[in-house]
Amino acid sequence: MPISRRSLAAAALALVLPLSACGSGGDDGGPTDASGKVEGDITFQTWNLRANFKPYFEDLIADFEHTYPGTHVKWIDQPAEGYPDKLSADAAGGTLPDVVNVSPDLVAPLARAGLALDLDKAAGTYRSEYLPGAWASHRIPGMKGTYAFPWYLNTGPLFYNKALFEKAGLDPEQPPKTYDDLFSDALRMAEKSDGQVATLANVPTIEDFGRYGVPLMNRQGTAFTFNSAKGVELLTRYKELYDAKALDPQALTATPESAGKKFLTGAVAMNPGSALDLGNFKKNAPSLYRNIGITDQITSTGHVNMYVMGVMVNSRTRHTPAAVAFAHFVTDARHQMSFAKKVAIFPSTAGSLDDPYFTKEDGTDETRVRVAAAKSLKNAVNYTPVLFSDQMKTALRNEVAKALQGRQSPEEALDNAVNAADRLLRQG
């Protein structure tokens, strides 16, 4: 997958996945025991990575084949556009590769169709090598098991404008950490600025509900639960921010670009971002750059949100030991660390984030953000339910907008959003 893009919708996958689909190894499938001899020909599919990282993957494959004589890895790279459709077609046609680059939302329908190998059973010995939250990210509600090795992670800290905090009488060295802190500081910011400065420019997303401590889905994976009293409480508090202009009035239609512009001009006091944004501030808003603060995502659970990519093993491969060994090879600490130094991502392996590369600043903007993000990832979790589709996200956003505008109560809004999400879930 492209490093900078969010994962694509998996809806197409859920439509046409027969349980008889098989991998490139053949129609009969293969053993789930990965303890045998590592040998044989396997295929490895990535998600739009060849253009920028061809030498890296060619060297990695050569290293694997040298480490395990008698193996051969055929590398396939698919374009970003239509990747879920391609996985669906391969699964239905029996041509799904042995080792596949997936995101949690894409592995879910494959696991439910019996096409993703349960790594808790086949490769549980490797579990301790990964961050607990990363290993858990490819579990599927209602199913036992873990269905992909965690690969690279990403997250983003929050930027805040110290000058605006100080002007509002808030301590610029003590930005809000929890939602309680955030709501208190935001209301004060709006009051002190006569509604001219909002603290946030975005409406709450499913990740916000997760970070607030709202249970998002039942354990069976059959229904969403973010319309609980805790969820209603969060949306009610956002409504208070909106009414006080502590939430930007244009938040209902905001994009990352428009929110970024609000922050750049001083109309908003906090905004997520990256090292690229710091460079933009330095060039186009030097006064903001001199007053920029970097802090963790807001969370009341003690865990920030992370985005994770994985490497799945096709349960129908004829060469299970080789496929599992290669998937682990791609995602082990040595290779993840090497990959992280080529692009702005973070390894999912335990201990890797303690490396000086992620802990020591060198005065550059890129390192400043990398160190801040790496620190928060050690106990991060992927809050977005793997079964929560883009259509469901749209439904939630639409209902939240109605509640903020006063067209319906927060309780009605979340009931409607959950009903829409459950209906989409049943449709598969």
Side-chain angles (χ1 to χ4, degrees), residues 11-42:
L13 271 173
L15 298 177
V16 289
L17 289 181
L19 292 177
S20 60
C22 58
S24 59
D27 293 341
D28 296 329
T32 59
D33 183 5
S35 62
K37 184 177 181 180
V38 177
E39 62 182 359
D41 295 355
I42 59 173

Side-chain angles (χ1 to χ4, degrees), residues 159-161 163-165 167 186 189-191 193-202 241 244-251 257-271 281 285 287-288:
F159 291 141
Y160 68 100
N161 188 323
L164 293 178
F165 272 71
K167 191 174 181 179
M189 184 87 67
E191 180 184 5
S193 67
D194 293 325
Q196 297 303 303
V197 178
T199 298
L200 300 175
N202 295 289
L241 296 189
K245 296 187 178 179
L247 177 64
D248 186 76
Q250 296 178 346
E257 292 76 18
S258 66
K261 289 179 180 178
K262 291 274 187 176
F263 183 70
L264 190 71
T265 61
V268 170
M270 302 190 79
N271 202 56
F281 302 154
S287 62
L288 171 61

